[in-house]
Amino acid sequence: MNTKPVKAERLDKLLTCLGYGLRKDVRFWIKDGLITIDGEPASNPAKKVTPDQVLLMEKPLDHPYGLTLIYHKPLDTVCSRKEDGRLIYADFPERWIGRKPALSSVGRLDKETSGLLIITDDGQLNHQLTSPKKHISKTYAVTLDRPLNGTEAEKFSDGKLILEGEEKPCLPAELTIHDETHVSLVLHEGRYHQVRRMFAAVGNHVEALQRTHIGALALDDTALAPGEYKTLTGEELMILVKPSPI
Ligand code: URA
């Protein structure tokens, strides 16, 4: 989780991996005196540097040690880089799209689902947040088309529910009923369209869906409006998501 020792990299490689531009751009910036290393104008794109030695246009580099964010995904946006429609990446600085390693969402929310989403370039952190073995639950606020019939909580929690087209039953999930068409559902795994398919399996239809929590992290506590995000370190994120037992 971004705790690897900092390795010196070629200046041009460092800047291209952070999405600033191409290697040829770095040569121009050097020629124009826009880059300093330890306060001195840079002269060699191949010079090995660590990120905190470098200023570009007098500014420190943008998240050179990894990038993780919590984001309020709005409705009508897609968690993909290629699909049609408005992509979640449109809400972030364009430069971030060119970063390597690439940013990706931790799991996906459907186009018609809003709520809490984590985006990171840290593969290990991504795995920690998605693997059922790591016990980080996801909670959804669900609005249903039809009133509950009273059997749903038992069917979702007994570990026997099989979704259409699958063979393996879902892990037990906890349903909290607010009224006959409003519930919260806590999942401990993330299958394709899982909430919608679970309600379809018990004869209902999801009208609106929002992810309200990832582990202990609550969307309401982030104060993020739809489309807004906050950056934080992987360590900070894990503390919010999984407070240590006292
Ligand atoms: N379950 C769904 O059906 N959709 C989501 O986006 C997330 C969970």
Side-chain angles (χ1 to χ4, degrees):
M1 283 189 295
N2 304 335
T3 48
K4 298 164 205 117
V6 181
K7 213 171 95 207
E9 294 276 13
R10 281 177 62 117
L11 175 64
D12 52 3
K13 181 169 182 219
L14 175 66
L15 293 176
T16 53
C17 287
L18 292 176
Y20 282 100
L22 303 172
R23 288 191 183 207
K24 72 173 177 2
D25 299 320
V26 178
R27 289 198 295 275
F28 282 121
W29 298 333
I30 289 175
K31 217 157 78 197
D32 290 346
L34 300 178
I35 304 177
T36 58
I37 299 172
D38 293 328
E40 299 296 325
S43 56
N44 178 3
K47 183 169 170 63
K48 296 244 177 154
V49 291
T50 57
D52 43 1
Q53 292 179 277
V54 180
L55 297 181
L56 175 60
M57 293 183 206
E58 298 177 12
K59 290 201 194 105
L61 301 182
D62 181 13
H63 293 89
Y65 302 109
L67 183 55
T68 293
L69 37 140
I70 48 180
Y71 167 59
H72 185 163
K73 178 192 174 295
L75 291 172
D76 293 319
T77 52
V78 185
C79 291
S80 156
R81 284 173 174 273
K82 293 192 190 107
E83 280 168 49
D84 290 340
R86 187 177 187 277
L87 308 184
I88 55 171
Y89 297 97
D91 283 329
F92 313 134
E94 209 180 323
R95 179 175 358 101
W96 289 1
I97 309 295
R99 285 177 65 108
K100 286 193 202 96
L103 276 181
S104 58
S105 66
V106 175
R108 285 182 171 208
L109 293 176
D110 306 335
K111 186 173 181 191
E112 299 311 330
T113 302
S114 63
L116 198 51
L117 188 66
I118 293 168
I119 318 272
T120 186
D121 61 8
D122 183 337
Q124 200 188 331
L125 178 67
N126 199 322
H127 175 72
Q128 293 210 3
L129 292 162
T130 46
S131 163
K133 291 193 190 120
K134 305 289 180 181
H135 305 291
I136 297 181
S137 60
K138 315 285 177 327
T139 305
Y140 295 87
V142 189
T143 304
L144 295 165
D145 198 23
R146 293 184 276 282
L148 294 163
N149 62 30
T151 63
E152 296 86 351
E154 167 70 17
K155 286 188 175 153
F156 290 170
S157 66
D158 69 7
K160 294 188 199 144
L161 185 76
I162 298 186
L163 300 178
E164 196 180 314
E166 297 196 10
E167 284 172 9
K168 205 172 148 207
C170 294
L171 292 176
E174 297 88 50
L175 187 75
T176 302
I177 299 172
H178 305 301
D179 65 38
E180 59 181 12
T181 54
H182 293 92
V183 298
S184 299
L185 183 63
V186 182
L187 299 187
H188 303 278
E189 61 186 335
R191 302 188 191 195
Y192 181 65
H193 290 180
Q194 185 166 349
V195 175
R196 295 174 200 275
R197 291 166 72 214
M198 285 174 76
F199 278 99
V202 295
N204 212 323
H205 177 75
V206 170
E207 215 171 68
L209 186 58
Q210 182 178 59
R211 181 149 73 190
T212 58
H213 295 74
I214 297 177
L217 174 62
L219 178 63
D220 280 354
D221 292 344
T222 66
L224 293 171
E228 289 184 344
Y229 63 87
K230 272 185 204 168
T231 61
L232 68 184
T233 66
E235 286 80 4
E236 287 165 339
L237 177 73
M238 287 313 281
I239 290 167
L240 293 174
V241 163
K242 203 173 185 180
S244 54
I246 305 169

